[in-house]
Amino acid sequence: MKAQRLKLEPLTAEAFSPYGDVIQRKGVIPEIINTGRTQKYADLARIDTNGGGTSIHLYRSQAAILPFLIERMERHPLGSQSFVPLHRGPFPVIVAPPGDSPDIQAIRGFISNGEQGVSFHKGVWHHSQISLDGVCDYLVIDRKGPEANCQDWVLERRLFIDGV
Amino acid sequence: MKAQRLKLEPLTAEAFSPYGDVIQRKGVIPEIINTGRTQKYADLARIDTNGGGTSIHLYRSQAAILPFLIERMERHPLGSQSFVPLHRGPFPVIVAPPGDSPDIQAIRGFISNGEQGVSFHKGVWHHSQISLDGVCDYLVIDRKGPEANCQDWVLERRLFIDGV
């Protein structure tokens, strides 16, 4: 079956709320700290480690070749997973609601504006991290613990993205 | 008493190890993930929340006016605190060993190269976040919980930094 094009939508907190949090200053009233030198936009994502610890990682990624096929999705049943772009460039975010398998009809694609990070809620189906241009760096925050925490699903029908 | 100049040292994992972790790719052998598109530099800091949760924040800071007086230090007795620069520019990191009060003779200043983040271990005395140039953004990761988790100490003698 021919792959269908998945349109990428602008990433907004409201549209992304069924899947997770958008890590951004927009819409947040900051606290003023450090004797006035710093605005603190506090507690921007629900970091959920389900009784485990918290790990932070750096990802360095090569851009995908477009058009890029969405062939599989994954989820982390035991914790949230957050991505903050350090290269400050746009990147796609592909998600489907939690459930036993990803509902291919319900897959949505968003595009970060390059300042926005995302945090997937526990159990939300998502594609692995995709980059669009050059070498891209991310800070990643997820659960630390000995239990298996990644389920992978090969889609019965494939989608593709072809950029912004 | 006249303030003394605190020299800023290059930030290296070894020199910083008594105080915390340097969040960087250097010296770390990555895992290869995402079917070869991504290098994962895994688990780069000891995120310690002492039974609490984990919070992430965005800090947007104005540069300090130089020379900048180091007049007080703080510590977080219940958890680590991590700073990752999103503006990718150098910033100073001022620390003193854990203990009932900061030992002014033992205060050290480091300078991040702009790619390096830092994570202060639980209880390590440090100055609040200082920026050097323009508007600077950081991702901050620390403990979430109802308990008081910040102790502040006014130094009996002051130091100053005057840039890189």
Side-chain angles (χ1 to χ4, degrees):
Chain A
M1 194 181 293
K2 205 176 152 195
Q4 276 197 313
R5 180 171 182 268
L6 179 66
K7 189 175 166 358
L8 298 179
E9 311 167 45
L11 181 62
T12 66
E14 192 180 357
F16 196 67
S17 62
Y19 315 104
D21 303 301
V22 179
I23 300 165
Q24 61 182 353
R25 296 191 312 280
K26 188 179 177 181
V28 180
I29 296 171
E31 304 165 29
I32 305 300
I33 61 170
N34 291 351
T35 60
R37 294 193 317 280
T38 299
Q39 294 177 316
K40 175 180 179 178
Y41 297 78
D43 204 17
L44 299 177
R46 201 168 74 198
I47 307 297
D48 180 354
T49 61
N50 213 46
T54 301
S55 278
I56 66 176
H57 321 286
L58 289 170
Y59 282 17
R60 166 152 283 197
S61 295
Q62 293 288 343
I65 298 169
L66 298 179
F68 182 82
L69 270 184
I70 306 298
E71 298 181 292
R72 51 208 311 152
M73 304 277 277
E74 65 185 45
R75 66 169 175 172
H76 309 296
L78 297 182
S80 58
Q81 189 182 35
S82 311
F83 291 82
V84 177
L86 302 176
H87 60 287
R88 311 314 268 167
F91 64 99
V93 180
I94 316 296
V95 288
D100 288 341
S101 65
D103 174 359
I104 197 162
Q105 303 295 342
I107 291 176
R108 289 173 75 181
F110 296 93
I111 181 90
S112 159
N113 65 12
E115 289 207 359
Q116 296 167 314
V118 293
S119 185
F120 301 117
H121 289 165
K122 185 169 66 182
V124 164
W125 290 101
H126 57 275
H127 196 276
S128 62
Q129 184 266 311
I130 306 170
S131 294
L132 283 186
D133 192 31
V135 173
C136 298
D137 290 312
Y138 303 83
L139 187 77
V140 180
I141 303 159
D142 60 13
R143 181 181 195 267
K144 184 173 186 166
E147 302 88 351
N149 187 24
C150 190
Q151 296 178 329
D152 190 58
W153 187 274
V154 178
L155 299 176
E156 51 273 30
R157 280 196 302 121
R158 298 183 300 180
L159 302 168
F160 71 90
I161 58 172
D162 56 8
V164 185
Chain B
M1 193 181 293
K2 207 176 150 193
Q4 276 197 313
R5 180 171 182 270
L6 178 66
K7 190 175 166 358
L8 298 179
E9 312 167 44
L11 181 62
T12 66
E14 192 181 357
F16 196 66
S17 63
Y19 315 104
D21 302 302
V22 179
I23 300 164
Q24 61 182 353
R25 296 191 313 280
K26 188 177 178 181
V28 180
I29 297 172
E31 304 166 28
I32 305 299
I33 62 169
N34 290 351
T35 59
R37 295 192 317 279
T38 299
Q39 294 177 316
K40 175 179 179 177
Y41 298 78
D43 204 16
L44 299 176
R46 200 168 74 198
I47 307 296
D48 180 354
T49 61
N50 213 46
T54 301
S55 279
I56 65 174
H57 321 285
L58 289 170
Y59 281 17
R60 165 151 282 198
S61 295
Q62 293 289 343
I65 297 169
L66 298 179
F68 182 82
L69 270 185
I70 305 298
E71 298 181 290
R72 51 208 312 152
M73 303 278 277
E74 65 184 45
R75 67 170 175 172
H76 308 297
L78 297 182
S80 58
Q81 189 181 36
S82 310
F83 291 82
V84 177
L86 302 176
H87 59 287
R88 311 312 270 167
F91 64 99
V93 180
I94 315 297
V95 287
D100 289 340
S101 64
D103 174 0
I104 198 162
Q105 303 295 341
I107 291 175
R108 289 173 76 181
F110 296 93
I111 182 90
S112 158
N113 65 12
E115 290 207 358
Q116 297 167 315
V118 293
S119 185
F120 300 117
H121 289 164
K122 186 168 66 182
V124 164
W125 290 101
H126 57 275
H127 196 276
S128 62
Q129 183 266 311
I130 306 171
S131 295
L132 284 186
D133 193 30
V135 173
C136 299
D137 290 312
Y138 303 83
L139 187 77
V140 180
I141 303 159
D142 59 14
R143 182 183 195 267
K144 184 174 186 165
E147 301 89 351
N149 187 25
C150 189
Q151 295 177 329
D152 189 59
W153 188 273
V154 177
L155 298 176
E156 51 273 32
R157 278 196 304 119
R158 299 182 300 179
L159 302 167
F160 70 90
I161 57 172
D162 57 7
V164 186

